[in-house]
Amino acid sequence: MGRTWVGGVLVGLLLLAACGDPSSGPGTAPPERPAAGTAAAKAPGPAPSSTTQQQRPPASAAPEAPAKRPTVLYLGDSLAMENQKVLGGLLQDELKARYTSAPYSGTTLCDYLESTGEKSLVPARDKAAALVRSLRPDFVVLQFWGNAWDYTWCMDGITHDKDPARYFARYTSDARKLTDQIANASGTKRPKVVWVLQGPDPITPDRVRRVNAIYEQQADASGGLVADAGKEVGPADARYTWSQHLPCTAYERDHPVYCTQPGSNRTALHRDDDYLHFCLAPTTEKSRPCPVRSPGILRMTRAITRTLTAATN
């Protein structure tokens, strides 16, 4: 993660390889694999935190007080890594939520399974079931792009470009296993699992469509929820068409820091050198929450917040 790339489509492919492309591998050596029993010391990314957003967006109109103060756990890959503080701030403002986030860049569903052990980028303490046992959340929000690459050891070399059928079968199986582990860890208080639907992918658009379908099917089968955050970062009339810029929303026009090209009523969702991530600051070697106000991140996290608000009230 984190190096700056220049150039056109070829460079975009390389960037995705370094940041979570499900179809190709990175061009640099992977991080050191966590040793058994010492995963917490080796795995990338932060420990869970309840911090709220230092780049918090302006507060919207005061919402109706929630029926209860929910506990929310947020897990995911580099997109969740970017989003985590903005989402925490919104959930605090809107729901007074007790919030914990534990995303790890480059991960996929199997990294959060307790059965993956040392093959995982996620340490044992931050596995989904382990956090559910300790936090007893009301909601577990899962945001995964669908990574499958050389760093994602738990996928056992299965990638979308080499074998799409095995990739989707494995992803379907892991979604079911992760839901089951969360349920089994929760005791009598089962949290709602919220699957975040992903935005358009300019390289493999049908892959994202099918991954989102897996999330929707799993939510239907297990009584979970979906939050269509990806819809907010695609054209209104073309859900799976990628775009770097979109028309500013009414909210963005009212808060000009989020309307990056007010003269043309357009806002930037991606940097010129990164078509996957939504943070408008350059990526860095060490993964981090996005340090600048970024319209794409705000759009997605507001969609997640709306889903949780509707489920809470």
Side-chain angles (χ1 to χ4, degrees):
M1 291 286 299
R3 63 184 61 185
T4 301
W5 302 89
V6 293
V9 174
L10 176 59
V11 172
L13 285 168
L14 292 174
L15 180 63
L16 262 183
C19 297
D21 179 14
S23 302
S24 59
T28 56
E32 182 178 355
R33 180 178 300 188
T38 60
K42 299 297 184 182
S49 70
S50 298
T51 57
T52 54
Q53 166 64 337
Q54 61 200 17
Q55 297 288 342
R56 179 178 296 183
S60 56
E64 181 181 345
K68 57 178 292 188
R69 185 183 180 193
T71 300
V72 179
L73 173 62
Y74 183 43
L75 308 176
D77 54 24
S78 59
L79 298 180
M81 174 67 75
E82 292 180 340
N83 291 351
Q84 60 181 317
K85 286 191 175 180
V86 178
L87 180 60
L90 288 171
L91 292 176
Q92 174 61 30
D93 289 342
E94 302 290 327
L95 296 174
K96 306 302 180 188
R98 300 176 179 89
Y99 172 75
T100 301
S101 59
Y104 286 83
S105 294
T107 57
T108 195
L109 297 177
C110 58
D111 284 292
Y112 282 89
L113 292 172
E114 290 193 314
S115 56
T116 49
E118 66 176 6
K119 293 177 66 177
S120 172
L121 291 169
V122 176
R125 68 167 188 263
D126 290 346
K127 298 290 192 178
L131 290 173
V132 167
R133 280 191 289 267
S134 64
L135 298 172
R136 300 296 180 186
D138 300 293
F139 299 98
V140 179
V141 181
L142 303 175
Q143 181 163 12
F144 292 92
W145 176 249
N147 292 331
W149 51 315
D150 287 351
Y151 293 2
T152 313
W153 302 300
C154 65
M155 285 293 289
D156 300 317
I158 300 170
T159 61
H160 177 264
D161 63 331
K162 294 178 181 178
D163 195 336
R166 287 187 70 203
Y167 169 85
F168 291 120
R170 175 63 183 273
Y171 217 67
T172 300
S173 174
D174 287 345
R176 183 176 62 252
K177 290 177 181 177
L178 188 57
T179 303
D180 289 345
Q181 287 194 4
I182 289 170
N184 292 336
S186 63
T188 58
K189 179 188 174 184
R190 296 186 64 169
K192 284 281 187 183
V193 176
V194 182
W195 296 92
V196 179
L197 304 188
Q198 299 305 294
D201 178 356
I203 304 303
T204 56
D206 187 59
R207 183 198 63 81
V208 168
R209 188 192 306 268
R210 293 186 62 179
V211 165
N212 283 347
I214 290 170
Y215 293 160
E216 291 175 304
Q217 291 163 6
Q218 183 59 41
D220 287 344
S222 60
L225 300 170
V226 295
D228 197 356
K231 181 179 179 181
E232 306 301 318
V233 291
D237 58 350
R239 168 66 175 80
Y240 287 99
T241 298
W242 183 90
S243 180
Q244 183 177 1
H245 299 87
L246 287 178
C248 295
T249 64
Y251 181 94
E252 290 161 355
R253 289 191 294 272
D254 289 342
H255 302 85
V257 69
Y258 291 104
C259 187
T260 62
Q261 299 177 12
S264 57
N265 190 37
R266 298 197 316 162
T267 197
L269 301 181
H270 305 274
R271 290 172 53 86
D272 292 342
D273 56 4
D274 186 345
Y275 65 80
L276 170 59
H277 298 96
F278 294 89
C279 183
L280 297 185
T283 54
T284 57
E285 283 297 324
K286 184 175 181 180
S287 301
R288 60 179 178 171
C290 186
V292 300
R293 299 186 192 275
S294 299
I297 288 176
L298 182 59
R299 288 181 180 213
M300 289 190 294
T301 53
R302 291 184 80 192
I304 297 169
T305 301
R306 287 194 299 269
T307 298
L308 294 183
T309 300
T312 300
N313 289 326

